[in-house]
Amino acid sequence: MIATGLLLTSLFTLGLSKPVARSLRLHEARSTIPTGFSHVRSADADTVLNLRLGLVSSNVDQLVETLYDVSTPSSQNYGQHLSRSEAAAFLSPSSESLEAVNAWLNENNLTAQSISPAGDWLAISVPVSQANEMLDADFSVFTHEATGVQSIRALQYSIPTDLAGHLQLVHPTTTFTQPTSPKLPLNAKRVSASAMEKRQSSCSGNVDPACLQELYGIPTTAAANADPIVVTGYDDQYPSNTDMSDFLSQYRTDIASSTTWTIVELDGGSDDPSDPGDEANLDVQYTVGLATGVPVYFISVGENANDGVFGFLDTVNYVLSNLSDAYVVTTSYGSNEADISTGVFSKLCDAYASLGTAGISVLFASGDGGVSGSQSSSCTDFVPTFPSGCPYVTSVGATTGTSPETAADFSSGGFSNVYATPSFQTSAVSSYLSYLGSTNSGLYNTSGRGFPDVSTQGENFLIGYEGSFYTVSGTSCSSPTFASVVALLNDKLLSAGKSRLGWLNPWLYENSGALNDVTSGDNPGCSTNGFTATTGWDPVTGLGTPNFAALLTAAGV
Ligand SMILES: *[C@@H]1O[C@H](CO)[C@@H](O)[C@H](O)[C@H]1NC(C)=O
Ligand SMILES: *[C@@H]1O[C@H](CO)[C@@H](O)[C@H](O)[C@H]1NC(C)=O
Ligand SMILES: *[C@@H]1O[C@H](CO)[C@@H](O)[C@H](O)[C@H]1NC(C)=O
């Protein structure tokens, strides 16, 4: 009897022309509209949304285990990085997940397109009315008050109950990024010729490549075996050849002023030399101009990124599938962790883990708002930045001055609310928390991943821009500087027949003595003095600034 009943039910289901409504369960929600945005109205029913479905990757645990295995110096498999396709394969969804999600889409007459090398991201185009029904959502128009830019988001959505464990997230829904991501040069000041002439050595005044080479012992001779550095660029920013040539003629008289980079265009990115960007110029001038002899790619990510997170998702897939010779990636953009849905952050962070497993070092600027976030803002609780909270990126903070180097007061640092303290830094973080005692108690997450990991100079960097010279400040200066150091270390390692550094963090924390410890300064914000730099790791300057010779020794060369 029971068997017959079941059979009848399933035949009945198959015979329906419309799918039975699936039972839905709330999947992601935000309790409030993020600060700076306001709700305008429900979105028009027939507006077509381009949504991305992030499928659960079947082997994240194994990915992370492999990442640690190939990146921890004491491990037998240290340096045995996987190929990019092997590393990406950990992110693939199971065939059950793929079938379950596709079956749901088919019932709704939707066809998905795979948009990541591992197949864990699918793209669909769907009218608002149908998306609202499928996800029990109210897709609405929101305005970013400062810019007037509108976007369609949902404050909450549900997914079919039986897709739990298969479908990790639907995006963009609850992620609200600022339409313009932080452009980090804090204070661009025009520098007169006489000020340049008076520049002191050792980065005690304005900073140029020569003083960084001197301060950190960075080689000035050309790399012999270097792989390219990838500089990522957003916000319609491109570097200028003439500004580069001015910069090199002034500050790297020992190399050809015609030294250049390769631009690659993604998501409609372009290259408009008549409209260069200060951030793009800075990032390229302090890679081309500091990592001597190292080729540089500039990825121009355009406005068709549509990935709801500046283009970071598209960038990581592009590096994995299209830039097979690059092993160091630096990004001077970011935002606040709370703006990004946990689901999206977690998918992106897993993707950074796959880059690390393939031997690629991923560096990000930590942010320019001290403890108040990526940019200075009013706050009560401290604001961790994105994506520095991901343990698989190396977050770079800023210092200033030379005798001794001290924390730059804007250097973002703190503790993630999403990722727990990873094993490579538990001892460093617990020492710092003991030192801190009850200071700032309740304002930050004592169990979070601490950042930044390292730092470099970040104030008064001289750049060529629109035919003259400026100084700029920010952790934007620091990430390309540290990336250049890593590329030059990789060059020496490859020349010695050794493998690249790959994911840096376990190696850095095991060799903290190879960094110059920065023990003074702080990063104020939220009406506090923020955190204070001290002996050992701190959430202002990380482990410290690079000492090239000591890092080389630590790497076994
Ligand atoms: C899918 O298409 C079929 C045939 O055109 C139609 O009968 C059905 O109602 C559609 N289903 C949905 C959910 O739009
Ligand atoms: C990147 O590589 C993929 C796979 O090889 C290719 O389909 C795609 O067109 C490439 N993208 C760009 C922007 O070149
Ligand atoms: C603190 O961080 C942990 C991860 O380590 C997280 O699970 C928890 O939700 C965070 N607490 C708050 C208040 O955000």
Side-chain angles (χ1 to χ4, degrees), residues 414-415 421 425-441 444-448 450 531 534-535 537-539:
F415 299 86
T421 316
Q425 63 168 198
T426 41
S427 131
V429 166
S430 83
S431 300
Y432 187 78
L433 295 183
S434 312
Y435 158 82
L436 199 57
S438 60
T439 307
N440 299 330
S441 170
Y444 69 96
N445 193 325
T446 53
S447 64
F531 296 111
T534 187
T535 307
W537 178 85
D538 54 70

Side-chain angles (χ1 to χ4, degrees), residues 33 37-43 140-144 148-151:
I33 299 171
F37 290 84
S38 56
H39 180 269
V40 184
R41 58 184 161 81
S42 289
S140 299
V141 178
F142 293 88
T143 298
H144 179 246
V149 173
Q150 297 197 324
S151 54

